Amino acid sequence: MLKNDLFLRALNNETVERPPVWMMRQAGRYLPEFRALRDKYDFFTRCETPELAAEITVQPIRIVKPDAAILFSDILVVPRAMGIHVELKDNLGPIIPNPIRTMEDVNKTFVPDVHETLGYVFDAIKLTKEMLNDEVPLIGFAGSPWTIFCYAVEGKGSKSFDTSKGFCFSNPLAAHTLLQKITDTTILYLKEKVKAGCNAIQIFDSWGGMLSPVDYQEFSWPYINQIVEALAEHTKVIVFGKGCWFALNDMAKSKASALGVDWTCSARNARYLTGGKITLQGNFDPSRLLSPIPTIKKMVHQMIDEFGKDNYIVNLGHGILPNIPVDHAKAFVEAVKEYNQ
């Protein structure tokens, strides 16, 4: 039995004494303890070494004390498992030296045996669960098929992903074939994450907001929904689409247990668009953690008042930034724990 199950109770739409809190990328670069490991081991070594991944996952639970842990990993382990070569370069982010640009390229990718290609992730989950000792739930995650597709086709990060969108519009058969392969791999991967011990799953659609509402319904949401449908009978699923406020109404009709909201969508609009019942998560602007601590605490309390205490998980509107002082991250979490005391 979990000592702190507040996060899972919120996902179950239960009445809670206060909302739970965690932060996207909470196991990350703002922590000196994380940076010490980063300086010793390259990125994929950290992902692929269960002892390192588990230690990084548990660091914020010890230091910042949120109500849930999220496994340290990366969305790009999925394309790597599918035969797409990915490199991570300092100050450049992910690089795919041979991006996918033709149907022939798509045909070279494959749906892998996830035990063979991603077994290190499942080992990291088991080790993390031991280290957490039932203190808090563990969240597993994956990128949305569209977001993975963007990196695979663009070959790197982008402000607009025009090459990826152009591939969809000029070669839709190849695009849908690749999106389906990514979806099939992700479903297999996430099911095994749940079997290994994850208590909930989050799907990150980081680049969904690059698509128009019409194109989102063709190239992103149907694939996310396949994952939600496949996972919903096994675990709670959170869908977070950055810049995807226009899809919240459709998302709320799915089997997702919660929907993430970024800072560009107000609590009022998010509740209105989702019908007021589904659990929402978000939406504090990560840059706002650079505000003075009293301001952070005041804004967090206002945010909870606006979303409501129930059917709500306090989080940022995207990942925590590397330049956030640890005391400010702690203040964010403490503000939630102090709510209504």
Side-chain angles (χ1 to χ4, degrees), residues 232-291:
E233 61 188 275
H234 303 285
T235 193
K236 300 292 179 182
V237 182
I238 305 166
V239 175
F240 170 64
K242 187 170 181 289
C244 300
W245 61 269
F246 53 79
L248 284 172
N249 186 258
D250 287 311
M251 290 175 174
K253 295 170 186 169
S254 74
K255 292 180 181 175
S257 296
L259 301 176
V261 186
D262 69 32
W263 66 89
T264 64
C265 184
S266 69
R268 182 179 177 183
N269 282 347
R271 287 288 179 210
Y272 172 75
L273 291 166
T274 56
K277 291 174 185 171
I278 193 168
T279 295
L280 296 176
Q281 176 179 277
N283 67 337
F284 202 79
D285 184 341
S287 299
R288 266 293 179 182
L289 290 178
L290 292 166
S291 300

Side-chain angles (χ1 to χ4, degrees), residues 4 6-7 10 18-24 26 61 64-69 136 139 281 300 303-304 312-316 329-337:
N4 176 351
L6 198 58
F7 171 74
R18 65 163 174 88
V21 56
W22 68 282
M23 293 180 288
M24 290 182 276
Q26 66 188 17
I61 307 306
V64 185
K65 298 182 169 54
D67 295 307
V136 293
I139 305 164
Q281 176 179 277
V300 168
M303 184 171 71
I304 298 170
Y312 179 50
I313 297 164
V314 178
N315 207 318
L316 306 175
K330 286 181 179 176
F332 179 77
V333 171
E334 285 163 4
V336 183
K337 294 183 176 181

Side-chain angles (χ1 to χ4, degrees), residues 35-95:
R35 292 199 295 271
L37 290 174
R38 180 197 62 188
D39 292 344
K40 283 177 74 175
Y41 305 99
D42 71 67
F43 183 78
F44 283 116
T45 297
R46 279 174 273 145
C47 287
E48 293 171 1
T49 307
E51 293 78 7
L52 291 174
E55 168 61 24
I56 292 167
T57 302
V58 175
Q59 280 177 352
I61 307 306
R62 296 188 198 119
I63 300 162
V64 185
K65 298 182 169 54
D67 295 307
I70 182 162
L71 185 73
F72 175 74
S73 186
D74 194 82
I75 63 172
L76 296 177
V77 299
V78 167
R80 274 165 63 95
M82 296 175 63
I84 300 169
H85 180 63
V86 182
E87 298 172 3
L88 209 77
K89 300 202 173 175
D90 289 341
N91 304 319
L92 285 175
I95 300 289

